[in-house]
Amino acid sequence: MARGHSAAPTFGFPRPGRALGAVLLGLFAIWLVFAIGLNWGGASEATFTALCGNTSLILQGEVWRLFTAPLLHIPSGTVWHIAAVLLMLYFFGTQLERDWGPKRFLKFLGGAAIFGYVVQMLVELALPATIGQKLVHPFWFGAEPAVSAVSVAWALTFRGRTVNLMFVIPVTATGLLVFVVLLQVMYVIANVEVPEGHIAPFGGMLAGWLFGSGSPSPLRRAWLKLRLFQLDAEARREADARKKRVAKSGLQVLEGGRSRDSDDDEKKPPGGWLN
């Protein structure tokens, strides 16, 4: 799917790794269970909303909502919500998993989804209630924060490459980055109702940069610099403590051997030789 600028377009299906395959299958299975249960099985909507995110309820102790919300997608009236998530993860996650390995890729997906919603919760709490209600629904859900993170991570990791989006539209890494940001800004301006809320996707973009932009990531590089600074500080403290212990002990370092004056005296001829 991804290629250099000079390569001819390719229309093959990239094969996802086991980790991404399991994520795609799991998300689809969860959507299918709720779609059948709510639309044809007579299940109560309360079963669905019990797993959706809600800022006030999470702060009251229902912390599981923060982890289950990214797994849910609109079960009735449309299939585009789940379809768009699966397609975007498929197109941009395949190469990231191949490049990073399944372990880092899964940590990235889960961390980005939770990070995006945590950012949304913090922003919602900081904003006036009238504005917060427009930007964030009472119950929010969906994997869009993870999708935004994957898109940004792909664009920043594979700079200069092009991908055939939906097998037809060639998109460069820079073009993808502009498209993802501009689309979310347009959603906010038009006040389009999105189940994830308007802030979480931007939190996902931030996560894509922090956790997925390069190897090591900016967050990892910052941690390594901080750790190096701490080690240097510890070494300096140990050196200062060692000097203080030596000073308190009263010990002194004495130079060994004879002094230079005694050596010069030996080199001078005896006074009797001059007579």
Side-chain angles (χ1 to χ4, degrees):
M1 293 303 302
R3 65 184 195 279
H5 288 292
S6 60
T10 57
F11 299 92
F13 288 85
R15 183 175 180 178
R18 292 183 178 180
L20 178 58
V23 170
L24 297 177
L25 183 61
L27 292 176
F28 178 76
I30 293 172
W31 172 84
L32 186 62
V33 167
F34 279 106
I36 295 175
L38 294 176
N39 297 320
W40 305 99
S44 172
E45 290 187 3
T47 307
F48 185 82
T49 56
L51 301 177
C52 294
N54 180 280
T55 301
S56 61
L57 293 177
I58 290 174
L59 295 178
Q60 292 174 18
E62 299 183 11
V63 184
W64 71 83
R65 293 176 177 272
L66 184 61
F67 299 92
T68 56
L71 305 177
L72 305 178
H73 297 86
I74 299 176
S76 304
T78 180
V79 297
W80 178 244
H81 190 214
I82 181 65
V85 166
L86 296 179
L87 286 172
M88 293 295 285
L89 288 178
Y90 170 75
F91 277 106
F92 299 108
T94 299
Q95 193 165 7
L96 284 177
E97 181 187 359
R98 188 181 302 127
D99 209 57
W100 291 350
K103 186 176 180 180
R104 180 186 174 186
F105 181 72
L106 288 177
K107 288 182 178 180
F108 173 77
L109 277 184
I114 295 173
F115 181 86
Y117 281 127
V118 169
V119 169
Q120 178 166 270
M121 291 174 59
L122 296 175
V123 173
E124 182 183 3
L125 293 172
L127 291 175
T130 54
I131 299 178
Q133 291 173 358
K134 288 186 177 182
L135 295 177
V136 183
H137 299 294
F139 291 96
W140 33 264
F141 58 92
E144 179 59 33
V147 171
S148 297
V150 167
S151 302
V152 170
W154 187 92
L156 297 178
T157 300
F158 304 109
R159 291 181 174 91
R161 296 194 183 184
T162 303
V163 64
N164 288 317
L165 188 60
M166 307 301 178
F167 307 102
V168 177
I169 307 172
V171 179
T172 64
T174 303
L176 175 66
L177 196 60
V178 173
F179 172 78
V180 170
V181 176
L182 183 60
L183 182 64
Q184 295 301 330
V185 171
M186 292 172 64
Y187 281 165
V188 174
I189 295 174
N191 196 22
V192 177
E193 291 190 6
V194 289
E196 294 85 0
H198 287 298
I199 306 301
F202 291 99
M205 295 178 204
L206 179 60
W209 174 73
L210 282 176
F211 308 146
S213 176
S215 295
S217 64
L219 185 64
R220 178 67 175 171
R221 289 196 296 269
W223 162 251
L224 292 175
K225 289 181 180 179
L226 176 62
R227 186 55 183 158
L228 181 60
F229 176 80
Q230 291 175 341
L231 292 175
D232 289 340
E234 290 177 4
R236 287 193 296 268
R237 285 195 297 268
E238 291 179 1
D240 294 339
R242 193 180 302 113
K243 291 179 180 179
K244 290 180 180 179
R245 288 196 300 268
V246 172
K248 289 181 180 180
S249 66
L251 299 177
Q252 295 181 353
V253 179
L254 300 177
E255 295 183 1
R258 298 180 178 180
S259 63
R260 293 183 178 179
D261 294 339
S262 62
D263 291 341
D264 294 339
D265 292 341
E266 288 184 358
K267 292 179 180 179
K268 291 181 182 179
W273 290 6
L274 300 177
N275 297 328

